[in-house]
Amino acid sequence: MSGIPHAVVIAAVVVVVIVRQFRPRKVVEDVRRWWVLPVVLGWLAVREPGLIDPHHQLAAVALLVGDLLVGAVTGAAWAWTSRVWTDDSGAVRAQAGRATAVVWAGGLVLRLTLAGAGALAGVRQESGSIMLTLAVSLLLSGAVVMLRAHRPEWVTQGAGKGTLGR
């Protein structure tokens, strides 16, 4: 799978994640759920050849590391800018807000900047690097939200009041 199928998978995941994040959702205590999508995306990304340009290996690895760092920072910041609160039943809920949208936009700009730098350097980048970066973002985001959900001092009591849920 490459090219168009990867683009469809990436677009579908982004749409599903954005729609899900901007609605109040119950933080699932089931540890097995939040990491499944990132692991599947990561597996799809690394199983395909072309993740590293064989003609520009050092530059391709540097760009991939930069992409993964952008993904990690974006995912963690995304989770920290989401509201985390307990509802009336005591269930922990989370919802992204305006600050989260700014984080997404900033991460996208950084990713496009790295892709542009790679293109200027003649480094061929496949869609696998985008999928891997998205997987890292989702993995870190899920981990940080789960961490916040398990720390009472980082959870707002009541109907989602507060901007950072701390």
Side-chain angles (χ1 to χ4, degrees), residues 14 70 74 101-115 130:
V14 168
V70 166
T74 301
V102 171
V103 167
W104 263 82
L108 180 61
V109 167
L110 287 172
R111 173 65 181 95
L112 290 173
T113 302
L114 285 171
I130 297 170

Side-chain angles (χ1 to χ4, degrees), residues 10 15 17 28 34 51 65 70 84 101 105 125 129-130 132 144 166:
I10 291 166
V15 167
V17 168
V28 180
W34 62 269
L51 192 59
V65 168
V70 166
V84 178
Q125 293 179 298
S129 65
I130 297 170
L132 198 55
V144 172
R166 291 190 216 167

Side-chain angles (χ1 to χ4, degrees), residues 11-102:
V13 167
V14 168
V15 167
V16 166
V17 168
I18 289 174
V19 167
R20 189 184 70 179
Q21 293 298 314
F22 285 92
R23 289 186 187 160
R25 69 194 182 286
K26 188 174 182 179
V27 176
V28 180
E29 296 294 327
D30 185 4
V31 178
R32 294 169 289 173
R33 274 186 87 189
W34 62 269
W35 58 265
V36 172
L37 183 59
V39 168
V40 169
L41 280 175
W43 178 77
L44 287 173
V46 298
R47 76 179 183 95
E48 292 291 325
L51 192 59
I52 303 295
D53 183 350
H55 303 292
H56 303 92
Q57 288 184 351
L58 185 60
V61 168
L63 284 170
L64 183 60
V65 168
D67 282 346
L68 296 177
L69 287 173
V70 166
V73 170
T74 301
W78 164 15
W80 278 106
T81 57
S82 295
R83 289 183 312 173
V84 178
W85 73 95
T86 56
D87 63 13
D88 294 334
S89 71
V92 178
R93 298 197 174 268
Q95 179 180 13
R98 285 186 209 120
T100 310
V102 171

